[in-house]
């Protein structure tokens, strides 16, 4: 039992020393690099460096989570927003930087780095410090104090002044006290370090509350959007196809009465009724396409977006990398969001080329629409982008916009989903 206890203390001391060294080296270095990268964002250097630095911070935090579970049995949950798929060029780095800085998990990691440098490393170093201090007290009588005293000074062992052989013999007694404290508290100090790490790295209650509030808000938006869509369908049916069908019924009644008396007039009205029926059918098809396009239902999101691109008055390139199909509601939301973004680009961007990218990575569907127009797009009141953001919010999706003055404009959306 005593041997096992001593082994636990030695292990705790070694682990505490390793954690303290990491706190005073890696944590400090990553903190400095992050601060410098953020400061230099306006110069463009930070946009290039920050994604690499924050990725290293995230990997370091993940390693410390693993050590907490392996050494202390403390599980620390990780919650990060999935960053967009890396894209070449400065716009890709800017997009990634913006996504990382918006992620609450990033700022949680940075707060933890600051805590780890001070309180975290301080708690960790106490375990080996108690052990070393106790062992040092046992060897003080061997003469460690003598050179200091011979030079006219006082050798301090903790708070015990050693001025001669008599006081030197008291050091082992104090050393035994420190060893007893180490045997009792060294593993507990290491657990306190891991508990502190968990308290800082675990998503807060406020974050979870905000998430619930966001889901409640997006559900309300979804209900409002569904009600508005139903009203639109009812209005289109009443004012369009229904009105034409009623008029056709009246025309057919007139034709029936004219067949014997004025066959020529009846033929003219039959031709008009035929045109009205074709118009009504076209309106019904447009209405159905607006609810759920047949090409989307039959051939999937990629081909549906390609069909959209063919109808654009601007040259539009579409790149699709999807190994399957999302669930129907997600697929429909992504399709109409891309349609809205393409419409915005045509109406407002003054662009002559548009690029659309669709891909799926690590449980998320990504879609980006880029144009070489005049830029200046933003998400705000009255903006079409606000409607797209609300549509995505129903599925816990997010929308990111990069649109400096003079362009280009890149709008990226991501929706959590799995492919079938």
């Amino acid at each position: 039992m005593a041997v096992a206890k001593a082994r636990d203390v030695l292990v705790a001391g070694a682990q505490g020393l390793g954690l303290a060294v990491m706190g005073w080296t890696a944590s400090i270095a990553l903190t400095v690099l992050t601060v410098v990268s953020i400061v230099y964002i306006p110069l463009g250097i930070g946009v290039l460096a920050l994604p690499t630095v924050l990725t290293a911070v995230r990997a370091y935090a993940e390693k410390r989570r693993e050590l907490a579970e392996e050494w202390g049995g403390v599980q620390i949950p990780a919650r990060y927003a999935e960053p967009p798929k890396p894209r070449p060029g400065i716009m890709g780095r800017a997009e990634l930087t913006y996504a990382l800085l918006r992620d609450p998990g990033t700022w949680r990691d940075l707060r933890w780095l600051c805590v780890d440098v001070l309180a975290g490393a301080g708690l960790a170093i106490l375990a080996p410090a108690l052990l070393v201090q106790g062992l040092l007290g046992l060897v003080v009588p061997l003469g460690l104090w003598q050179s200091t005293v011979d030079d006219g000074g006082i050798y301090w062992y903790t708070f015990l002044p050693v001025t001669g052989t008599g006081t030197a013999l008291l050091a082992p007694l104090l050393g035994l006290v420190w060893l007893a404290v180490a045997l009792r508290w060294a593993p507990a100090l290491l657990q306190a370090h891991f508990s502190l790490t968990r308290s800082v790295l675990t998503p807060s209650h406020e974050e979870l509350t905000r998430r619930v509030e966001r889901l409640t808000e997006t559900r309300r938006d979804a209900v409002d959007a569904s009600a508005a869509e139903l009203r639109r369908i009812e209005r289109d049916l009443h004012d369009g196809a229904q009105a034409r069908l009623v008029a056709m019924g009246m025309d057919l009644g007139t034709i029936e009465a004219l067949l014997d008396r004025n066959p020529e007039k009846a033929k003219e009205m039959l031709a008009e009724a035929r045109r009205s029926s074709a118009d009504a059918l076209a309106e019904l098809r447009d209405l159905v396409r607006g609810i759920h396009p047949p090409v989307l239902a039959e051939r999937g999101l990629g081909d549906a977006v390609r069909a959209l691109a063919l109808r654009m008055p601007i040259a539009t390139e579409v790149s699709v990398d999807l190994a399957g199909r999302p669930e129907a509601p997600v697929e429909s939301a992504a399709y109409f969001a891309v349609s809205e973004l393409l419409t915005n680009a045509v109406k407002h961007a003054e662009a002559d080329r548009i690029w659309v990218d669709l891909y799926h990575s690590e449980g998320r569907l990504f879609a980006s629409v880029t144009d070489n127009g005049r830029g200046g797009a933003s998400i705000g009141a009255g903006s079409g982008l606000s409607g797209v953001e609300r549509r995505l919010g129903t599925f816990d999706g997010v929308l990111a916009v990069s649109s400096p003055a003079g362009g280009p404009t890149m709008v990226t959306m991501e929706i959590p989903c799995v492919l079938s």
Side-chain angles (χ1 to χ4, degrees):
M1 184 68 178
V3 174
K5 185 70 173 176
R7 184 176 65 249
D8 291 343
V9 172
L10 290 173
V11 169
Q15 292 173 346
L17 180 61
L19 292 169
V21 169
M22 283 190 282
W24 289 328
T25 55
S27 296
I28 290 178
L30 289 172
T31 301
V32 173
L33 287 173
T34 303
V35 171
V36 171
S37 299
I38 292 175
V39 168
Y40 279 98
I41 284 179
L43 300 180
I45 301 174
V47 173
L48 297 175
L50 192 60
T52 301
V53 173
L54 292 181
T55 300
V57 170
R58 191 167 292 190
Y60 176 59
E62 188 59 35
K63 181 61 179 177
R64 294 293 292 272
R65 288 186 181 93
E66 294 176 5
L67 291 178
E69 184 172 2
E70 181 181 344
W71 290 354
V74 177
Q75 293 185 344
I76 304 175
R79 180 176 179 81
Y80 297 107
E82 184 67 30
K85 185 178 180 180
R87 297 164 54 89
I90 186 66
M91 292 303 298
R93 301 294 286 185
E95 175 188 354
L96 184 57
T97 299
Y98 178 69
L100 290 172
L101 289 177
R102 284 188 63 195
D103 185 1
T106 296
W107 298 102
R108 191 164 50 242
D109 286 348
L110 297 180
R111 287 195 300 270
W112 165 73
L113 284 178
C114 298
V115 171
D116 190 60
V117 168
L118 301 173
L123 277 173
I125 199 63
L126 284 177
L130 289 173
L131 187 60
V132 170
Q133 193 72 2
L135 295 175
L136 180 63
L138 299 181
V139 299
V140 165
L142 299 181
L144 295 179
W145 54 275
Q146 197 161 3
S147 60
T148 304
V149 173
D150 290 345
D151 292 338
I154 298 176
Y155 181 88
W156 287 91
Y157 169 64
T158 315
F159 51 79
L160 176 67
V162 179
T163 57
T165 303
T167 51
L169 293 176
L170 296 177
L173 298 177
L174 184 56
L176 290 174
V177 174
W178 288 125
L179 286 175
V181 174
L183 287 171
R184 173 65 181 85
W185 292 106
L189 288 169
L190 200 64
Q191 286 297 120
H193 168 87
F194 292 135
S195 297
L196 176 64
T197 301
R198 179 175 58 188
S199 68
V200 180
L201 283 180
T202 300
S204 66
H205 178 71
E206 286 75 13
E207 280 187 57
L208 297 176
T209 301
R210 285 196 299 270
R211 178 169 173 77
V212 171
E213 290 174 350
R214 172 171 171 74
L215 291 175
T216 302
E217 180 181 352
T218 56
R219 183 182 63 182
R220 184 172 59 249
D221 290 339
V223 172
D224 293 341
S226 297
E229 188 70 8
L230 288 174
R231 288 193 298 269
R232 181 188 71 81
I233 294 171
E234 181 182 6
R235 183 179 62 252
D236 290 348
L237 283 173
H238 183 272
D239 297 342
Q242 180 180 330
R244 289 187 181 276
L245 292 173
V246 170
M248 280 178 55
M250 296 174 64
D251 288 344
L252 289 173
T254 304
I255 292 169
E256 186 178 10
L258 290 174
L259 279 175
D260 296 329
R261 291 186 291 110
N262 192 346
E264 293 299 323
K265 182 64 175 178
K267 288 181 180 179
E268 291 179 8
M269 295 189 67
L270 276 175
E272 182 66 27
R274 188 184 309 114
R275 287 192 294 271
S276 295
S277 67
D279 291 341
L281 182 60
E283 289 182 1
L284 286 173
R285 285 174 176 169
D286 290 340
L287 184 62
V288 170
R289 188 179 296 112
I291 298 172
H292 195 75
V295 66
L296 179 63
E298 295 170 5
R299 305 185 60 178
L301 181 61
D303 286 340
V305 172
R306 289 190 181 100
L308 272 178
L310 291 175
R311 298 199 297 268
M312 290 295 108
I314 298 174
T316 303
E317 296 181 14
V318 179
S319 173
V320 180
D321 184 12
L322 298 175
R325 295 185 61 172
E327 296 178 350
V330 173
E331 194 173 54
S332 179
Y335 171 83
F336 285 109
V338 170
S339 177
E340 177 72 19
L341 295 178
L342 288 174
T343 302
N344 284 347
V346 170
K347 287 183 176 179
H348 308 297
E350 299 179 4
D352 56 24
R353 200 162 192 84
I354 302 175
W355 296 266
V356 181
D357 293 304
L358 296 171
Y359 59 92
H360 187 270
S361 175
E362 299 183 6
R364 287 179 174 264
L365 174 66
F366 293 88
S368 66
V369 177
T370 306
D371 67 69
N372 61 351
R374 59 189 177 87
S378 63
I379 302 175
S383 167
L385 295 176
S386 300
V388 175
E389 187 177 44
R390 287 194 300 271
R391 183 190 294 271
L392 299 180
T394 306
F395 302 92
D396 204 19
V398 295
L399 185 74
V401 179
S402 175
S403 183
T409 295
M410 175 186 291
V411 182
T412 303
M413 52 188 171
E414 55 182 274
I415 309 174
C417 71
V418 294
L419 299 183
S420 59

